[in-house]
Amino acid sequence: MTNGVQDFYCDEVLSGKTEVEKVLETDNSLAFYHSRPYYEVHIVVIPKKHIASLIDVSDEDIALLNDLLSVIQKVSKQINEQHGGCTVSTNIGEYQSNKHLHWHVHYGKRIRDTDGTWC
């Protein structure tokens, strides 16, 4: 729990309780295949420091944000080279199911509905 809010990325992924297939890792960032993908190729990129969302990034986080964006760029380039394109997105506020800054890099058809059921 982080600030009383369950945080899957801190509580499960970064703690090692939930194993993920890593795509790229730096001292400050982690890219991994989504544990419950919504698209044919679905990668999540997170900072290792807890930051609630993009609007919560502070001036002291600029170096971390630069690292995070570098990882997003590398992962996106890899997906683009393999598949010819991808979508990169992040959510804020009520659109954010997990209150830890994270970016989705995905390609292909949707394979799961928003309620989690398979398409």
XYZ file of all heavy atoms in Angstrom, residues 21-114:
765
model
N 7.573 -10.362 -17.267
C 8.571 -10.559 -18.315
C 9.119 -9.194 -18.693
O 8.430 -8.378 -19.309
C 7.953 -11.248 -19.525
C 8.957 -11.563 -20.607
C 8.350 -12.267 -21.812
O 7.200 -12.727 -21.733
O 9.052 -12.335 -22.841
N 10.346 -8.937 -18.299
C 10.961 -7.635 -18.526
C 11.343 -7.454 -19.992
O 11.811 -8.384 -20.639
C 12.197 -7.470 -17.650
C 11.878 -7.456 -16.168
C 13.130 -7.357 -15.323
C 12.787 -7.430 -13.839
N 13.997 -7.360 -12.999
N 11.145 -6.223 -20.464
C 11.542 -5.841 -21.813
C 12.814 -5.000 -21.751
O 13.739 -5.202 -22.522
C 10.413 -5.052 -22.517
C 10.848 -4.549 -23.874
C 9.145 -5.894 -22.625
N 12.849 -4.062 -20.796
C 13.991 -3.167 -20.624
C 13.970 -2.639 -19.196
O 12.894 -2.334 -18.669
C 13.896 -2.008 -21.624
C 14.999 -0.960 -21.623
C 16.356 -1.571 -21.949
C 14.668 0.143 -22.625
N 15.143 -2.542 -18.582
C 15.211 -2.040 -17.214
C 16.423 -1.130 -17.073
O 17.491 -1.417 -17.597
C 15.307 -3.196 -16.225
C 15.307 -2.762 -14.781
C 15.231 -3.919 -13.802
O 15.451 -5.086 -14.221
O 14.950 -3.670 -12.614
N 16.224 -0.019 -16.358
C 17.313 0.880 -15.986
C 17.280 1.014 -14.465
O 16.435 0.404 -13.802
C 17.138 2.274 -16.624
O 15.992 2.911 -16.055
C 16.999 2.185 -18.143
N 18.141 1.832 -13.922
C 18.128 2.066 -12.474
C 16.829 2.707 -12.016
O 16.403 2.516 -10.879
C 19.296 2.968 -12.058
C 20.638 2.275 -12.157
O 20.668 1.023 -12.224
O 21.665 2.984 -12.185
N 16.171 3.464 -12.912
C 14.983 4.236 -12.532
C 13.679 3.783 -13.164
O 12.610 4.233 -12.746
C 15.194 5.714 -12.881
C 16.320 6.326 -12.100
O 16.344 6.255 -10.883
N 17.282 6.915 -12.801
N 13.736 2.933 -14.182
C 12.537 2.581 -14.939
C 12.490 1.092 -15.249
O 13.523 0.427 -15.296
C 12.502 3.362 -16.261
O 12.582 4.747 -16.043
N 11.274 0.613 -15.493
C 11.074 -0.785 -15.853
C 10.002 -0.880 -16.934
O 8.921 -0.296 -16.787
C 10.635 -1.590 -14.624
C 10.285 -3.063 -14.849
C 11.513 -3.846 -15.326
C 9.720 -3.680 -13.569
N 10.316 -1.601 -18.006
C 9.345 -1.901 -19.064
C 9.136 -3.409 -19.055
O 10.095 -4.176 -18.998
C 9.866 -1.449 -20.417
N 7.868 -3.825 -19.086
C 7.557 -5.252 -19.025
C 6.255 -5.534 -19.754
O 5.423 -4.644 -19.948
C 7.465 -5.733 -17.576
C 6.436 -5.005 -16.749
C 5.149 -5.518 -16.610
C 6.746 -3.812 -16.119
C 4.196 -4.846 -15.861
C 5.807 -3.138 -15.361
C 4.529 -3.657 -15.229
N 6.084 -6.794 -20.152
C 4.832 -7.187 -20.791
C 3.715 -7.159 -19.761
O 3.866 -7.667 -18.645
C 4.949 -8.580 -21.424
C 5.771 -8.557 -22.691
C 7.101 -8.932 -22.675
C 5.213 -8.123 -23.889
C 7.875 -8.899 -23.828
C 5.974 -8.083 -25.047
C 7.294 -8.465 -25.001
O 8.053 -8.420 -26.147
N 2.609 -6.552 -20.129
C 1.439 -6.429 -19.253
C 1.034 -7.816 -18.765
O 1.014 -8.771 -19.541
C 0.301 -5.786 -20.046
C -0.802 -5.220 -19.229
N -1.581 -5.984 -18.395
C -1.259 -3.960 -19.117
C -2.482 -5.211 -17.810
N -2.304 -3.966 -18.232
N 0.732 -7.935 -17.490
C 0.367 -9.234 -16.920
C -1.032 -9.685 -17.349
O -1.342 -10.871 -17.295
C 0.463 -9.194 -15.392
O -0.380 -8.187 -14.874
N -1.879 -8.742 -17.762
C -3.216 -9.049 -18.301
C -3.411 -8.188 -19.547
O -4.137 -7.194 -19.510
C -4.303 -8.757 -17.270
C -4.177 -9.647 -16.030
C -5.321 -9.442 -15.071
N -6.551 -9.892 -15.691
C -7.734 -9.265 -15.578
N -7.852 -8.186 -14.853
N -8.806 -9.734 -16.169
N -2.747 -8.529 -20.649
C -2.730 -7.651 -21.827
C -4.113 -7.390 -22.422
O -4.971 -8.272 -22.409
C -1.846 -8.397 -22.813
C -1.919 -9.825 -22.392
C -2.077 -9.796 -20.897
N -4.266 -6.184 -22.924
C -5.495 -5.783 -23.603
C -5.302 -5.745 -25.114
O -6.256 -5.578 -25.857
C -5.964 -4.415 -23.100
C -6.619 -4.501 -21.745
C -5.865 -4.666 -20.589
C -8.000 -4.455 -21.618
C -6.463 -4.764 -19.343
C -8.611 -4.559 -20.382
C -7.837 -4.706 -19.250
O -8.431 -4.822 -18.022
N -4.065 -5.876 -25.564
C -3.738 -5.841 -26.989
C -2.780 -6.977 -27.306
O -2.160 -7.547 -26.415
C -3.098 -4.488 -27.355
C -4.049 -3.345 -27.118
C -4.066 -2.674 -25.901
C -4.972 -2.976 -28.083
C -4.968 -1.656 -25.660
C -5.885 -1.954 -27.852
C -5.874 -1.301 -26.637
O -6.779 -0.299 -26.394
N -2.648 -7.285 -28.586
C -1.779 -8.383 -29.013
C -0.371 -8.236 -28.442
O 0.220 -9.212 -27.977
C -1.718 -8.444 -30.537
C -3.045 -8.815 -31.180
C -2.981 -8.728 -32.689
O -2.268 -9.571 -33.299
O -3.612 -7.829 -33.255
N 0.183 -7.051 -28.492
C 1.459 -6.724 -27.864
C 1.165 -5.581 -26.906
O 0.658 -4.535 -27.332
C 2.529 -6.290 -28.895
C 3.814 -5.879 -28.184
C 2.785 -7.390 -29.906
N 1.427 -5.774 -25.617
C 1.056 -4.756 -24.614
C 2.156 -4.684 -23.561
O 2.318 -5.592 -22.750
C -0.282 -5.122 -23.981
C -0.894 -4.013 -23.196
N -2.208 -4.040 -22.812
C -0.392 -2.855 -22.717
C -2.494 -2.946 -22.132
N -1.383 -2.206 -22.055
N 2.892 -3.580 -23.598
C 4.010 -3.362 -22.682
C 3.674 -2.191 -21.769
O 3.068 -1.206 -22.203
C 5.307 -3.089 -23.476
C 5.657 -4.337 -24.302
C 6.456 -2.689 -22.552
C 6.738 -4.123 -25.334
N 4.052 -2.299 -20.509
C 3.856 -1.241 -19.526
C 5.232 -0.711 -19.145
O 6.169 -1.492 -18.953
C 3.128 -1.768 -18.263
C 2.959 -0.667 -17.231
C 1.787 -2.374 -18.633
N 5.351 0.620 -19.032
C 6.608 1.243 -18.622
C 6.324 2.085 -17.379
O 5.418 2.921 -17.386
C 7.200 2.131 -19.739
C 8.561 2.671 -19.311
C 7.311 1.367 -21.058
N 7.082 1.818 -16.306
C 6.855 2.507 -15.028
C 8.158 3.068 -14.470
O 9.231 2.524 -14.722
C 6.238 1.563 -13.975
C 7.183 0.397 -13.657
C 4.877 1.060 -14.419
C 6.751 -0.472 -12.485
N 8.045 4.140 -13.673
C 9.213 4.554 -12.899
C 9.310 3.657 -11.673
O 8.297 3.183 -11.162
C 8.879 5.998 -12.505
C 7.393 6.028 -12.436
C 6.911 5.057 -13.489
N 10.509 3.431 -11.184
C 10.670 2.625 -9.977
C 10.321 3.411 -8.723
O 10.031 2.831 -7.687
C 12.097 2.077 -9.900
C 12.363 1.032 -10.974
C 13.764 0.476 -10.849
C 14.010 -0.604 -11.865
N 15.391 -1.125 -11.771
N 10.319 4.721 -8.824
C 9.875 5.581 -7.730
C 8.364 5.758 -7.856
O 7.840 5.931 -8.955
C 10.561 6.949 -7.828
C 10.059 7.954 -6.816
C 10.687 9.327 -7.031
C 10.079 10.343 -6.078
N 10.590 11.704 -6.342
N 7.666 5.740 -6.732
C 6.228 5.961 -6.784
C 5.929 7.429 -7.109
O 6.339 8.330 -6.392
C 5.536 5.601 -5.469
C 4.060 5.862 -5.548
N 3.207 4.980 -6.158
C 3.320 6.920 -5.174
C 1.985 5.494 -6.131
N 2.034 6.675 -5.540
N 5.233 7.622 -8.211
C 4.680 8.916 -8.610
C 3.259 8.589 -9.034
O 3.043 7.681 -9.837
C 5.462 9.545 -9.775
C 6.929 9.767 -9.386
C 4.809 10.851 -10.216
C 7.822 10.216 -10.528
N 2.294 9.290 -8.498
C 0.885 8.930 -8.728
C 0.482 9.019 -10.199
O -0.180 8.120 -10.726
C -0.026 9.787 -7.868
N 0.850 10.090 -10.892
C 0.494 10.238 -12.305
C 1.357 11.314 -12.939
O 2.158 11.972 -12.256
C -0.992 10.583 -12.467
O -1.229 11.938 -12.133
N 1.179 11.520 -14.209
C 1.953 12.514 -14.943
C 1.823 13.909 -14.333
O 2.798 14.657 -14.276
C 1.516 12.535 -16.409
C 2.279 13.465 -17.339
C 3.757 13.091 -17.389
C 1.671 13.423 -18.730
N 0.655 14.254 -13.822
C 0.466 15.589 -13.255
C 1.104 15.738 -11.886
O 1.151 16.840 -11.341
C -1.035 16.005 -13.217
C -1.851 15.044 -12.371
C -1.584 16.104 -14.631
C -3.312 15.447 -12.211
N 1.630 14.646 -11.338
C 2.287 14.683 -10.035
C 3.808 14.685 -10.131
O 4.489 14.649 -9.111
C 1.826 13.486 -9.188
C 0.343 13.545 -8.917
O -0.098 14.525 -8.298
O -0.374 12.618 -9.355
N 4.348 14.726 -11.340
C 5.796 14.781 -11.515
C 6.281 16.137 -11.005
O 5.737 17.173 -11.363
C 6.184 14.596 -12.998
C 7.681 14.801 -13.202
C 5.749 13.224 -13.500
N 7.306 16.130 -10.165
C 7.840 17.373 -9.608
C 9.167 17.724 -10.282
O 9.737 16.910 -11.017
C 8.049 17.230 -8.100
O 9.099 16.331 -7.852
N 9.648 18.916 -9.998
C 10.932 19.350 -10.555
C 12.055 18.391 -10.176
O 12.965 18.157 -10.969
C 11.282 20.763 -10.072
C 10.400 21.823 -10.705
O 9.739 21.539 -11.721
O 10.368 22.958 -10.171
N 11.993 17.808 -8.989
C 13.044 16.884 -8.560
C 12.997 15.560 -9.325
O 13.935 14.771 -9.259
C 12.973 16.621 -7.059
C 11.774 15.798 -6.621
C 11.690 15.603 -5.123
O 12.045 16.526 -4.371
O 11.246 14.513 -4.708
N 11.916 15.314 -10.069
C 11.748 14.072 -10.823
C 12.150 14.204 -12.291
O 11.968 13.257 -13.067
C 10.288 13.605 -10.763
C 9.834 13.266 -9.369
O 10.640 12.697 -8.599
O 8.665 13.578 -9.039
N 12.698 15.344 -12.697
C 12.985 15.577 -14.115
C 13.981 14.557 -14.670
O 13.776 14.021 -15.759
C 13.475 17.019 -14.353
C 12.355 18.021 -13.995
C 13.929 17.219 -15.794
C 11.041 17.819 -14.730
N 15.033 14.245 -13.951
C 15.999 13.250 -14.433
C 15.333 11.879 -14.562
O 15.560 11.159 -15.543
C 17.206 13.171 -13.505
N 14.509 11.528 -13.589
C 13.771 10.262 -13.642
C 12.833 10.258 -14.847
O 12.749 9.265 -15.571
C 12.970 10.077 -12.352
C 12.179 8.790 -12.243
C 12.153 8.321 -10.796
C 10.768 8.998 -12.726
N 12.145 11.365 -15.094
C 11.218 11.461 -16.226
C 11.980 11.338 -17.549
O 11.501 10.668 -18.477
C 10.433 12.770 -16.166
C 9.307 12.924 -17.178
C 8.259 11.831 -17.011
C 8.658 14.293 -17.046
N 13.153 11.931 -17.632
C 13.969 11.795 -18.839
C 14.337 10.335 -19.075
O 14.289 9.850 -20.202
C 15.229 12.654 -18.740
C 14.947 14.117 -18.963
O 13.966 14.490 -19.590
N 15.812 14.968 -18.427
N 14.704 9.627 -18.018
C 15.023 8.204 -18.125
C 13.794 7.424 -18.572
O 13.871 6.581 -19.466
C 15.533 7.675 -16.780
C 15.889 6.210 -16.844
O 16.962 5.886 -17.396
O 15.094 5.380 -16.348
N 12.665 7.711 -17.949
C 11.412 7.023 -18.287
C 11.056 7.234 -19.760
O 10.717 6.286 -20.463
C 10.295 7.525 -17.370
C 8.949 6.848 -17.469
C 9.033 5.396 -17.006
C 7.928 7.594 -16.613
N 11.162 8.478 -20.229
C 10.844 8.768 -21.629
C 11.828 8.090 -22.576
O 11.447 7.645 -23.663
C 10.806 10.272 -21.864
C 9.611 10.983 -21.245
C 9.754 12.493 -21.393
C 8.303 10.505 -21.849
N 13.069 7.961 -22.166
C 14.055 7.252 -22.976
C 13.678 5.776 -23.116
O 13.764 5.197 -24.203
C 15.445 7.395 -22.347
O 16.381 6.631 -23.049
N 13.240 5.171 -22.021
C 12.809 3.770 -22.057
C 11.564 3.636 -22.935
O 11.483 2.710 -23.761
C 12.564 3.229 -20.630
C 11.901 1.857 -20.669
C 13.878 3.160 -19.860
N 10.602 4.536 -22.787
C 9.393 4.506 -23.629
C 9.784 4.616 -25.098
O 9.262 3.891 -25.950
C 8.420 5.631 -23.219
C 7.871 5.374 -21.816
C 7.288 5.766 -24.238
C 7.184 6.586 -21.191
N 10.713 5.512 -25.397
C 11.162 5.699 -26.775
C 11.803 4.423 -27.322
O 11.499 3.998 -28.444
C 12.152 6.857 -26.850
C 12.652 7.137 -28.256
C 13.689 8.229 -28.296
O 14.541 8.312 -27.412
N 13.619 9.064 -29.312
N 12.664 3.794 -26.553
C 13.344 2.569 -27.003
C 12.353 1.438 -27.231
O 12.423 0.718 -28.229
C 14.414 2.149 -26.000
C 15.617 3.079 -26.004
C 16.583 2.759 -24.890
C 17.719 3.779 -24.888
N 18.533 3.718 -23.690
N 11.416 1.272 -26.300
C 10.406 0.215 -26.439
C 9.515 0.498 -27.641
O 9.209 -0.403 -28.434
C 9.584 0.080 -25.135
C 8.382 -0.830 -25.337
C 10.466 -0.426 -24.001
N 9.104 1.747 -27.803
C 8.263 2.130 -28.938
C 8.973 1.894 -30.258
O 8.368 1.414 -31.234
C 7.870 3.607 -28.828
O 7.153 3.840 -27.658
N 10.252 2.235 -30.304
C 11.043 2.023 -31.523
C 11.107 0.539 -31.862
O 10.962 0.144 -33.015
C 12.445 2.597 -31.339
C 13.296 2.503 -32.573
C 14.641 3.175 -32.376
C 15.463 3.064 -33.657
N 16.782 3.677 -33.510
N 11.290 -0.287 -30.847
C 11.347 -1.736 -31.044
C 10.025 -2.257 -31.612
O 10.011 -3.034 -32.571
C 11.654 -2.410 -29.707
C 11.670 -3.907 -29.733
C 11.904 -4.497 -28.343
O 12.462 -3.860 -27.457
N 11.463 -5.716 -28.148
N 8.904 -1.832 -31.036
C 7.581 -2.278 -31.517
C 7.328 -1.751 -32.919
O 6.800 -2.461 -33.780
C 6.463 -1.843 -30.539
C 6.684 -2.453 -29.158
C 5.078 -2.199 -31.094
C 6.740 -3.960 -29.124
N 7.706 -0.505 -33.171
C 7.541 0.078 -34.499
C 8.336 -0.706 -35.538
O 7.826 -0.990 -36.629
C 7.970 1.548 -34.481
C 7.723 2.218 -35.802
O 6.604 2.278 -36.284
N 8.785 2.738 -36.399
N 9.572 -1.062 -35.209
C 10.400 -1.833 -36.147
C 9.831 -3.221 -36.398
O 9.897 -3.725 -37.517
C 11.838 -1.931 -35.620
C 12.574 -0.606 -35.699
C 13.938 -0.613 -35.014
O 14.286 -1.616 -34.337
O 14.644 0.400 -35.134
N 9.242 -3.833 -35.376
C 8.692 -5.181 -35.519
C 7.326 -5.204 -36.200
O 7.014 -6.144 -36.925
C 8.563 -5.841 -34.143
C 9.876 -6.141 -33.485
C 9.718 -6.623 -32.042
O 8.655 -6.544 -31.445
N 10.813 -7.109 -31.480
N 6.507 -4.163 -35.948
C 5.119 -4.217 -36.389
C 4.674 -3.031 -37.251
O 3.536 -3.015 -37.722
C 4.197 -4.306 -35.165
C 4.452 -5.512 -34.326
N 4.065 -6.783 -34.685
C 5.092 -5.651 -33.131
C 4.440 -7.650 -33.758
N 5.067 -6.991 -32.806
N 5.513 -2.026 -37.399
C 5.165 -0.894 -38.256
C 4.416 0.225 -37.558
O 3.968 1.167 -38.208
N 4.252 0.154 -36.247
C 3.575 1.220 -35.509
C 3.167 0.747 -34.131
O 3.265 -0.435 -33.803
N 2.732 1.698 -33.303
C 2.235 1.368 -31.975
C 1.524 2.583 -31.392
O 1.593 3.678 -31.943
C 3.354 0.917 -31.035
S 4.591 2.168 -30.659
N 0.851 2.384 -30.282
C 0.214 3.460 -29.532
C 0.946 3.592 -28.212
O 1.291 2.589 -27.581
C -1.274 3.133 -29.267
O -1.947 3.015 -30.522
C -1.938 4.201 -28.426
N 1.174 4.843 -27.790
C 1.791 5.135 -26.496
C 0.809 6.022 -25.749
O 0.375 7.049 -26.277
C 3.138 5.864 -26.658
C 3.719 6.225 -25.301
C 4.112 5.016 -27.471
N 0.437 5.617 -24.515
C -0.548 6.410 -23.770
C -0.344 6.285 -22.268
O 0.264 5.333 -21.784
C -1.974 5.962 -24.121
O -2.193 4.623 -23.707
N -0.876 7.276 -21.549
C -0.930 7.240 -20.101
C -2.286 7.790 -19.692
O -2.923 8.516 -20.452
C 0.224 8.041 -19.452
O 0.241 7.764 -18.047
C 0.098 9.526 -19.677
N -2.745 7.435 -18.506
C -4.024 7.901 -18.000
C -3.821 8.746 -16.755
O -2.815 8.614 -16.060
C -4.947 6.713 -17.679
C -5.317 5.932 -18.911
O -5.680 6.504 -19.926
N -5.199 4.626 -18.843
N -4.799 9.588 -16.463
C -4.747 10.495 -15.316
C -6.103 10.478 -14.621
O -7.142 10.336 -15.267
C -4.384 11.926 -15.776
C -2.965 11.934 -16.360
C -4.497 12.931 -14.639
C -2.572 13.221 -17.039
N -6.106 10.633 -13.307
C -7.353 10.763 -12.548
C -8.193 9.508 -12.582
O -7.690 8.396 -12.442
N -9.480 9.670 -12.779
C -10.414 8.540 -12.761
C -10.172 7.554 -13.896
O -10.612 6.410 -13.820
C -11.861 9.043 -12.808
C -12.270 9.816 -11.564
C -12.116 8.990 -10.288
O -12.510 7.815 -10.269
O -11.575 9.547 -9.310
N -9.476 7.967 -14.949
C -9.143 7.055 -16.050
C -8.024 6.098 -15.655
O -7.741 5.144 -16.348
C -8.703 7.828 -17.277
C -9.817 8.481 -18.060
C -11.127 8.452 -17.636
C -9.542 9.142 -19.242
C -12.130 9.052 -18.357
C -10.541 9.745 -19.971
C -11.832 9.697 -19.528
O -12.824 10.283 -20.246
N -7.385 6.369 -14.536
C -6.219 5.624 -14.104
C -6.635 4.560 -13.092
O -6.968 4.867 -11.958
C -5.218 6.609 -13.488
C -3.859 6.091 -13.273
C -2.933 7.180 -12.729
O -3.375 8.257 -12.372
N -1.671 6.870 -12.638
N -6.591 3.282 -13.502
C -7.014 2.200 -12.604
C -5.987 1.949 -11.506
O -6.334 1.475 -10.433
C -7.263 0.919 -13.395
O -6.079 0.536 -14.073
N -4.731 2.234 -11.756
C -3.670 2.067 -10.766
C -2.974 3.413 -10.599
O -2.475 3.976 -11.563
C -2.677 1.003 -11.230
C -1.707 0.624 -10.153
O -2.036 0.630 -8.974
N -0.501 0.294 -10.538
N -2.951 3.912 -9.383
C -2.436 5.259 -9.120
C -0.912 5.268 -8.992
O -0.340 5.648 -7.985
C -3.088 5.859 -7.865
C -4.605 5.852 -7.880
C -5.183 6.579 -9.074
C -6.700 6.681 -8.920
N -7.417 6.692 -10.154
N -0.261 4.812 -10.032
C 1.197 4.850 -10.159
C 1.447 5.215 -11.614
O 0.908 4.571 -12.520
C 1.783 3.466 -9.856
C 3.287 3.413 -9.874
N 4.007 3.173 -8.731
C 4.198 3.551 -10.873
C 5.304 3.161 -9.027
N 5.434 3.395 -10.336
N 2.227 6.255 -11.858
C 2.517 6.677 -13.222
C 2.944 5.469 -14.049
O 3.849 4.726 -13.664
C 3.632 7.731 -13.211
C 4.125 8.217 -14.575
C 3.000 8.886 -15.357
C 5.294 9.169 -14.402
N 2.268 5.261 -15.145
C 2.636 4.180 -16.048
C 2.191 4.527 -17.461
O 1.235 5.264 -17.660
C 2.051 2.832 -15.606
C 0.558 2.779 -15.561
N -0.186 3.370 -14.554
C -0.338 2.189 -16.401
C -1.476 3.140 -14.778
N -1.586 2.441 -15.890
N 2.937 4.020 -18.399
C 2.667 4.238 -19.815
C 2.407 2.898 -20.468
O 3.051 1.898 -20.140
C 3.871 4.898 -20.481
C 4.118 6.282 -19.973
C 4.721 6.615 -18.788
C 3.765 7.504 -20.601
N 4.758 7.980 -18.670
C 4.186 8.554 -19.762
C 3.137 7.820 -21.802
C 4.009 9.890 -20.085
C 2.957 9.145 -22.128
C 3.387 10.164 -21.280
N 1.473 2.888 -21.392
C 1.179 1.697 -22.177
C 1.788 1.892 -23.564
O 1.610 2.941 -24.175
C -0.331 1.488 -22.337
C -1.040 1.298 -21.045
N -1.193 0.059 -20.461
C -1.628 2.180 -20.206
C -1.860 0.198 -19.320
N -2.123 1.481 -19.149
N 2.496 0.886 -24.033
C 2.992 0.846 -25.404
C 2.365 -0.412 -25.988
O 2.636 -1.514 -25.512
C 4.538 0.766 -25.454
C 5.018 0.719 -26.900
C 5.167 1.936 -24.693
N 1.473 -0.226 -26.966
C 0.798 -1.414 -27.480
C 0.605 -1.366 -28.980
O 0.612 -0.309 -29.606
C -0.526 -1.658 -26.750
C -1.516 -0.551 -26.832
N -2.389 -0.409 -27.876
C -1.769 0.459 -25.978
C -3.159 0.653 -27.664
N -2.797 1.202 -26.528
N 0.416 -2.570 -29.506
C 0.213 -2.764 -30.935
C -0.837 -3.860 -31.115
O -0.909 -4.795 -30.320
C 1.516 -3.221 -31.618
C 1.256 -3.841 -32.961
C 1.066 -3.049 -34.083
C 1.139 -5.220 -33.099
C 0.774 -3.610 -35.309
C 0.849 -5.802 -34.322
C 0.667 -4.990 -35.424
O 0.354 -5.543 -36.632
N -1.582 -3.753 -32.192
C -2.465 -4.838 -32.616
C -3.893 -4.686 -32.156
O -4.294 -3.672 -31.592
N -4.633 -5.751 -32.398
C -6.060 -5.775 -32.068
C -6.261 -5.879 -30.569
O -5.469 -6.479 -29.851
C -6.729 -6.973 -32.746
C -6.735 -6.885 -34.240
C -7.404 -8.106 -34.834
C -7.311 -8.043 -36.359
N -7.845 -9.239 -36.976
N -7.376 -5.324 -30.122
C -7.767 -5.437 -28.719
C -8.172 -6.896 -28.469
O -8.963 -7.454 -29.214
C -8.930 -4.487 -28.425
C -9.250 -4.411 -26.975
C -10.333 -3.343 -26.728
N -10.404 -3.115 -25.313
C -9.784 -2.151 -24.666
N -9.068 -1.285 -25.317
N -9.875 -2.042 -23.366
N -7.630 -7.488 -27.419
C -7.930 -8.894 -27.116
C -8.725 -9.050 -25.817
O -9.138 -10.138 -25.470
C -6.638 -9.740 -27.045
C -5.687 -9.215 -25.967
C -5.959 -9.799 -28.406
C -4.470 -10.095 -25.706
N -8.919 -7.924 -25.100
C -9.649 -7.957 -23.833
C -10.483 -6.684 -23.740
O -10.015 -5.607 -24.068
C -8.641 -8.028 -22.683
C -9.230 -8.373 -21.342
C -8.179 -8.322 -20.232
N -7.034 -9.187 -20.414
C -6.943 -10.410 -19.920
N -7.906 -10.921 -19.203
N -5.864 -11.138 -20.106
N -11.736 -6.815 -23.293
C -12.590 -5.634 -23.077
C -12.174 -4.891 -21.835
O -11.411 -5.411 -21.011
C -14.065 -6.079 -22.946
C -14.697 -6.425 -24.271
O -14.272 -5.876 -25.304
O -15.615 -7.266 -24.286
N -12.704 -3.688 -21.666
C -12.340 -2.867 -20.497
C -12.727 -3.543 -19.184
O -12.120 -3.258 -18.153
C -12.994 -1.484 -20.575
O -14.398 -1.632 -20.736
C -12.423 -0.671 -21.725
